[in-house]
Amino acid sequence: MTSIGASSGMVDWNLAVATATRLVRPGPEVSRDEARAVVAELRRHAKASEEHVRGFTRMATEEAHDTPVLVVDRPGWVRANVAGFREILKPLLEKMEERRGDGAGNAVLGAVGGKVTGVELGMLLSFLSSRVLGQYETFAPATRELPAGANGGGRLLLVAPNIVHVERELDVEPHDFRLWVCLHEETHRTQFTAVPWLRDHLEGEIQSFLAETDVDPMTVLERVREAAQTLAGGRPEAEEDDGGRSLVELVQTPAQREVLGRLTAVMSLLEGHADFVMDGVGPAVVPSVGEIREKFQQRRAKGASRLDMALRKLLGLDAKLRQYRDGERFVRAVVDECGMDGFNRVWTSPNTLPTKSEIAKPADWIARVHRKPES
């Protein structure tokens, strides 16, 4: 990989990949034959999930899925996400590059600063790479080793060692768990392929958020540095020192809060919908879905060590867990009241997406979107 733009030295992306790859934890021990079997089964489940999800959600699309399914290891997940970060963060980094021209931090933000940031970003990615089971990459640029869909389509990643690790940790039926995970990720793929405007809308919101960033580059890099130091054990008290604020919250401007509210709502919808679908389809095709959900929820709620919890807070990962819970409640309430077809009106246009307040109060969304015209 090359760095963003010939003149940009804000992040050494090559070094970020190299650092994360070097620090990434080894996956669970499996034989070569077992590894091949897991990969083959995940691919089969991903394919089977298409029909299950489309049938349950009634979100069939005339266009065939052109988004590839990639079963990757942890370093493969890192490479894919660095490529996505480079793409989506390009405008922000270019803006920060312009701002660093004269200030006192100019030397720090030069080549040395880019390498420091690359190392610290790599540390964070190594941490995250052992926790993600699957991911639909919406803004993934295609590369030789990481293909993506045509015309701006994304790709579906399944992180095989993490799936095996969690199924062993929870002591659940492996074949059921693997299909259950695929149902969640396939729902995300269906969301974006069946709703043509969704990708551009989400990208527009993210770019609006980044365009409103009005913060000294040193502040942003200091937040990354603190997160990396927390991971390294150098700041175990970070949660208290930061007042529980995440990286995103620390760089917000008033204008960004409005955009972030809309982003939070749509991400809650997408994540909650995927959870709802995986559990809705589950009983018909995943015999042990009840046991899997119960144990998985306990794992989510329990978290891990104090250091892990502190880093999750700083990175905003605790907010993502709330998105699963709040979004699933919204979807369930609307489907119970309006049926699946009534819920699917949410995909009509950006104007029918729920607001952040409507996620918490589904009845308000129903009243707004399903209100009858006055006679």
Side-chain angles (χ1 to χ4, degrees), residues 71 92 104 129 202 341:
V71 182
L92 175 62
S129 68
L202 191 58
D341 291 335

Side-chain angles (χ1 to χ4, degrees), residues 287-358:
S288 59
V289 64
E291 177 191 2
I292 291 173
R293 168 55 74 187
E294 181 180 359
K295 290 184 175 180
F296 197 76
Q297 291 288 58
Q298 290 174 355
R299 181 179 184 270
R300 273 183 181 172
K302 181 175 62 176
S305 66
R306 183 170 179 271
L307 177 62
D308 185 67
M309 293 294 286
L311 188 57
R312 285 196 343 190
K313 175 74 73 174
L314 191 58
L315 293 174
L317 299 183
D318 55 334
K320 186 173 179 64
L321 295 181
R322 289 195 298 272
Q323 288 173 4
Y324 285 107
R325 181 187 66 238
D326 298 344
E328 195 274 342
R329 288 174 180 169
F330 170 84
V331 175
R332 185 172 300 280
V334 174
V335 172
D336 286 347
E337 179 70 21
C338 306
M340 186 63 73
D341 291 335
F343 165 78
N344 281 341
R345 289 184 65 176
V346 77
W347 311 116
T348 304
S349 75
N351 292 330
T352 55
L353 290 173
T355 64
K356 189 176 179 181
S357 64
E358 287 171 343

Side-chain angles (χ1 to χ4, degrees), residues 190-229:
T190 297
Q191 290 163 349
F192 283 94
T193 55
V195 185
W197 54 264
L198 185 58
R199 180 190 182 278
D200 288 343
H201 172 72
L202 191 58
E203 183 176 20
E205 293 283 53
I206 293 172
Q207 292 304 334
S208 294
F209 180 87
L210 297 178
E212 290 293 338
T213 297
D214 186 20
V215 65
D216 181 78
M218 285 298 294
T219 303
V220 178
L221 297 188
E222 181 61 24
R223 293 296 117 185
V224 175
R225 185 164 296 114
E226 289 176 2
Q229 289 171 350

Side-chain angles (χ1 to χ4, degrees), residues 161-182:
N162 295 350
I163 293 172
V164 172
H165 171 79
V166 173
E167 70 191 27
R168 290 179 178 178
E169 179 185 341
L170 298 181
D171 190 25
V172 293
E173 211 290 317
H175 306 294
D176 284 2
F177 184 74
R178 294 166 194 174
L179 177 56
W180 189 70
V181 171
C182 288

Side-chain angles (χ1 to χ4, degrees), residues 14 18 38-39 57 63 76 92 95 126 128 134 169 211 219 252 276 313 340 349 366 369:
N14 289 335
V38 170
V39 170
T57 64
E63 298 180 6
L92 175 62
K95 180 178 179 179
S126 71
L128 295 171
E169 179 185 341
T219 303
Q252 277 188 68
F276 177 79
K313 175 74 73 174
M340 186 63 73
S349 75
I366 294 172
V369 175

